Amino acid sequence: MSGQRSAVARITGTRRTDLWPGNFKLGMWVWFLHRLTGVIILLYLVSHLLVIAFSRSASSFDSLMAFFYRPVILVLELLLLAVIIFHTLNGFRIMLFDLGIGIRWQKALFWGLMGVGALMWAFSAIILLPFVSGA
Amino acid sequence: MRSKAEAGLLAWILQRVTAVLLFFALGIHLWVIHFVEPGKAITFESVVSRMQNPLLMSVDLTLLAAAMFHGLNGVRIIALDFGIGSRGLRALTWLLVFSGVVGFLFGVNALWPFLFTSGRPLLEEAWWSLIRS
């Protein structure tokens, strides 16, 4: 069966070499990044719940939050926000494709949405960055 | 569920429904905590007062449930992308269903001290009753 191509590969004309990361085009990288950002967010969710679940008293919760209120963590949180914005906006793009919208101009749609995402992230960073340095 | 195809379709639809729920619930969660009063310290007391607002409490519970489904079904989608077989998919799906239920209960348990500040936390209570018995 090794010589046989899947139905998707036959219809879209995908070759085996197209699946090698060195040959990825934009859509394939976005597909990969959507999976990667999804896994990152899921791992964050798990750690977020663990941290809260194991600091159950007011004093332990407050001291933990005070520990997190430092530049390194705030920068990591802004990076996480970028990851979430990417996943959200590309998820919106995937749902448009489900409705048959924008498939032909998927690259323009991607860069347009990333422009919107950059604005959203910049808005958040402008509000939150002063607290990174002045903690 | 009458067939595997129907289960797959339901998962596909729920992935979209939870995506929309997450957009609003996570938006409210982040806005209320970080943007209404930027730089305000998050304390036990501030979380308790947030949980006393029934609307914000339901936002957080919706967020927990929707994130669990969306994240774990996402793992299933990644496995499908990499060509998991039907037997593997079946085993993985049940593992993920189990993880989702446990994860949701664990999340509720994490929120418990903020919901009922006077009572003892659920996990500790179960732990202590196990030790005593």
Side-chain angles (χ1 to χ4, degrees):
Chain A
M1 288 288 207
S2 60
Q4 213 164 7
R5 299 197 305 174
S6 73
V8 173
R10 261 184 280 118
I11 292 163
T12 60
T14 307
R15 291 181 305 264
R16 205 175 171 76
T17 49
D18 292 336
L19 302 176
W20 177 250
N23 299 332
F24 276 16
K25 290 175 183 164
L26 178 72
M28 202 64 174
W29 280 116
V30 177
W31 167 84
F32 173 74
L33 283 176
H34 197 75
R35 269 69 190 158
L36 182 67
T37 51
V39 169
I40 291 171
I41 297 165
L42 182 59
L43 291 178
Y44 173 77
L45 173 68
V46 171
S47 65
H48 188 56
L49 293 181
L50 281 173
V51 160
I52 295 167
F54 289 105
S55 57
R56 308 190 72 91
S57 69
S59 59
S60 69
F61 184 82
D62 288 354
S63 61
L64 199 67
M65 288 301 122
F67 171 80
F68 284 144
Y69 202 86
R70 59 185 59 220
V72 184
I73 301 289
L74 292 174
V75 167
L76 283 175
E77 283 182 336
L78 278 175
L79 286 177
L80 179 69
L81 183 65
V83 164
I84 290 171
I85 288 174
F86 172 88
H87 196 86
T88 303
L89 292 177
N90 191 52
F92 180 63
R93 180 170 158 270
I94 292 172
M95 282 166 46
L96 285 181
F97 292 167
D98 289 339
L99 299 170
I101 301 167
I103 298 170
R104 283 177 195 282
W105 30 284
Q106 55 98 3
K107 284 183 190 173
L109 183 60
F110 174 76
W111 290 117
L113 285 170
M114 287 306 108
V116 172
L119 286 177
M120 286 167 73
W121 190 81
F123 169 80
S124 312
I126 287 168
I127 291 177
L128 299 177
L129 267 179
F131 304 100
V132 174
S133 50
Chain B
M1 215 57 56
R2 267 175 287 165
S3 69
K4 268 187 212 167
E6 278 183 0
L9 183 63
L10 183 68
W12 180 85
I13 292 169
L14 283 177
Q15 192 72 356
R16 270 71 189 162
V17 171
T18 52
V20 175
L21 283 175
L22 282 171
F23 178 76
F24 289 106
L26 185 60
I28 295 170
H29 183 79
L30 292 180
W31 184 261
V32 168
I33 295 170
H34 296 290
F35 292 90
V36 173
E37 286 176 82
K40 185 172 174 274
I42 301 163
T43 60
F44 192 86
E45 219 34 62
S46 74
V47 181
V48 168
S49 71
R50 188 170 98 241
M51 286 302 137
Q52 261 150 17
N53 180 334
L55 200 69
L56 291 180
M57 188 186 79
S58 19
V59 163
D60 277 15
L61 287 174
T62 306
L63 183 58
L64 174 63
M68 274 297 156
F69 180 87
H70 195 87
L72 294 175
N73 190 47
V75 171
R76 205 181 127 270
I77 293 171
I78 294 174
L80 283 168
D81 281 346
F82 284 97
I84 192 173
S86 64
R87 284 187 63 187
L89 183 65
R90 205 181 157 79
L92 179 68
T93 302
W94 284 113
L95 182 71
L96 292 173
V97 168
F98 177 74
S99 311
V101 172
V102 170
F104 179 77
L105 293 177
F106 187 77
V108 172
N109 176 60
L111 276 176
W112 206 261
F114 304 97
L115 298 171
F116 305 98
T117 42
S118 54
R120 287 176 70 94
L122 200 67
L123 194 71
E124 280 172 38
E125 227 162 42
W127 182 239
W128 279 114
S129 65
L130 202 75
I131 290 173
R132 280 196 213 98
S133 64

